[in-house]
Amino acid sequence: MRTLHINKNKLTPQDIRRYNWYIWRTVIAGFVFVALMIALTVFDVFGQLPAFRDLENPKSNQASEVISSDKKILGTYYIQNRSNVTFKELSPNIINALVATEDKRFYDHSGIDFGRSFTIFLHLLVGQKQGGSTITQQLALNLFSERAANPFKRVIQKMQEWVTAVKLERHYTKQEILTMYLNTVDFGAYNTFGIKSAARTYFNTTPDKLTPDQAALLIGMVNGPGIYSPIRHPANAIKRRNLVLNRMDEQGYLSGGQVEEFKQKPLGLDFHQNNHFDGPAPYFRSVLKKEVQKIFRDQNIFRADGTPYDLDRDGLKIYTTIDATMQQYAEEAQQEYMRNLQVQFNDHWRGQNLAKSIHNFKFLMNQGMLKSDRYKQLKMEGMSDEDIKTNFNTKDTLNLFTWHGNIDTLMRPIDSILYCKMLLRNALMSMDPTTGYVKAWVGGTNFEHFKYDQVKNGTRQVGSTAKPFTYAVAIDNGFSPCMKINNVPDTIRGYGPPWCPRSSPSETLKGLITLRQALAHSQNWITAHVMGEVKPEPVVELIKKMGITSAVPPYPSICLGTFDASVFEMTAAYSVFANHGLWTEPTYILRIEDKNGNVLYNHTPKVVQAMNPQTAYVMTYMLKGVIEEGTGSRLAYKYGLRNPIGGKTGTTQNNSDGWFMGITPQLVTGVWTGCEDRDIAFQSTRLGEGANSALPIFALYMKKVYANPALGIKKTVDFDAPKTGVAIQLDCGQYTQQQQGTTEVEKKLDF
């Protein structure tokens, strides 16, 4: 007979009910705990949540953009190189890649994917990563906080993300959330933040043009920008890209055949590392930044909270007058000719003892050393002057600028100082004389190596480019361009010691010549004679009306350009001739907007009637003579520019500065060339004169401008005569007859 054993461990109905109650109580407690945590989070117990206003204006560092007149981005100011885009500016490929990889149920949830989220807490508490965050939650984290390392703090942070994510979903559309996410995400090294910056950095394109494989590569970097970097780890980047392509296939964004085709493609990078000196017009952008900051200070333009705007963080949009195409032409013209001119310069100095041939050589070298970044760094490190001198005389690997690209070479730092001293510098500014809009600005030869702007910040002696100011005063006083003067020395007295300029025998025209010929051939003696007639004070007054702010003392020698001025000032001054006597303030800022499109500043240029319209028109006739028969004639015979162009060459003492000022009815351009120090220059006037060192850059630039009809700068346009007519005789044949009393009227009256 079998004995029955009763299992004493068998649960009774009462036990089951009790255990069920424990389980439900735990679950309810968990729900209550989560609800309480969420409630405490909503009421900022664990830290203040971003307000709705902050959601609309996230506090992410955003680059300010410099925008050309033809709507191209010239460059950015940034701490983080981040520029925002709108949803319309995004390729569907980047959206599809993001959703397929990061949040495939993005369009179905309201900010939180509860299917994944409730498992996160357990993983966080045991220190394991769990990818349960939706795109909206990731956006919340990207916008407002750093990811906490402590797992318990991370739980609280996750609550904050949830609440913020729900706010985002309530107040923004799905499209807006995707756009904000792509504008804030970090794409790793090279200072690349946001999809716009990433597209430009890795593929030199815009977000709307990203192909599926390009989009897959960039989205693949989101969760591991270091390990999936296509620059540092290309194999990893390809694997990750292909994974994203597979997910796009799974979600129906691509077909299997397309995926396989894209997988076979190489990375196809067109990498452009972001630097502040990258892009066109770096000198202009450096000057512009300081100018914007000055405008904000002077006009008390502040953010809503009363703090100053930060161009590196606040995402401003600065609309400028620079034409990106004309800027490109100007930079190309400089590079094309300066490469050749530097060869001429080097050849004519080759074999000479520079220390003996260059005035103040030791002083210049010592000053160059003291001003160098290397010297300042060594001084900060506490090195003595003797040790620094030894350092400068010890060979080291140095990066040098050349017209064929930067090179790394082994040389003594002191020799690199001399190398830079012997490099020619160049600057160009081009503007519309009627509006004052600056179209091109080339402030130097290479901003990476030589950051000093020579357009506005630098002033140099202007030489013969000042002569038209004296002639303009004479024309205004009734002189005719056809008036003939004997080209002999003319001494001026009454302004200190008697003054008479020199004139090169080989360049002096003999006998009686007209004022137009005298200006065309830059004759010093006749210019001095005219100055003696009109006196220095009215010339200084005119120069100041024409926008020259540098000191111009009222001495006769100013007729030969013994004063200093900038390319900026001289170009604006010459615009008076082309603009009916009106000086229009050079304008390069149109307006400034904040990141939300609110206008912070609009520029209104100043306009001054600096000169009689008739005088200005007669001066265009005089300046055309420089091109037709004078020192600027190579513009026609060598470069084929025979349309209505006026101009003036300028060469200062010892050939330290070469100038060319070119005027057309639609464009006025100033060009300067010289070395950093005036004691270092061409030894030959044939090489150092403005006709050889500056004019060719103007010629190459204008040929490119004329060849592009879209720019609207036409060869067929001539300077307009004043509406009131011209009383001054410009026909020298008629003028001569009048002077000799041989007009038909005079014959009939028997004068």
Side-chain angles (χ1 to χ4, degrees), residues 155-173:
V155 169
I156 293 173
Q157 192 176 65
K158 183 58 66 174
M159 291 286 187
Q160 292 175 319
E161 286 176 31
W162 279 8
V163 174
T164 303
V166 171
K167 279 189 175 184
L168 286 167
E169 291 278 350
R170 286 179 59 191
H171 294 294
Y172 296 99
T173 67

Side-chain angles (χ1 to χ4, degrees), residues 690-711:
N692 184 64
S693 64
L695 179 149
I697 295 173
F698 170 83
L700 294 172
Y701 166 66
M702 290 304 296
K703 287 184 73 171
K704 293 173 185 287
V705 169
Y706 283 135
N708 186 347
L711 296 174

Side-chain angles (χ1 to χ4, degrees), residues 429 431 435-438 568-569 571-572 583-588 603 605-606:
M429 188 179 102
M431 64 179 281
T435 62
Y437 287 179
V438 177
F568 184 86
E569 292 173 326
T571 307
W583 176 83
T584 303
E585 179 187 20
T587 297
Y588 46 90
H603 182 73
K606 300 175 184 175

Side-chain angles (χ1 to χ4, degrees), residues 20 24 28 91 99 314 392 394 400 411 451 505 508 523 563 572 574 586 595 662 685 688 749:
N20 282 344
W24 277 107
I28 292 170
S91 165
V99 172
D314 287 342
F392 268 82
T394 304
L400 299 178
M411 70 188 305
K451 291 185 168 54
T508 301
Q523 299 295 290
F563 59 92
Y574 267 69
K595 63 185 174 183
T685 299
L749 294 174

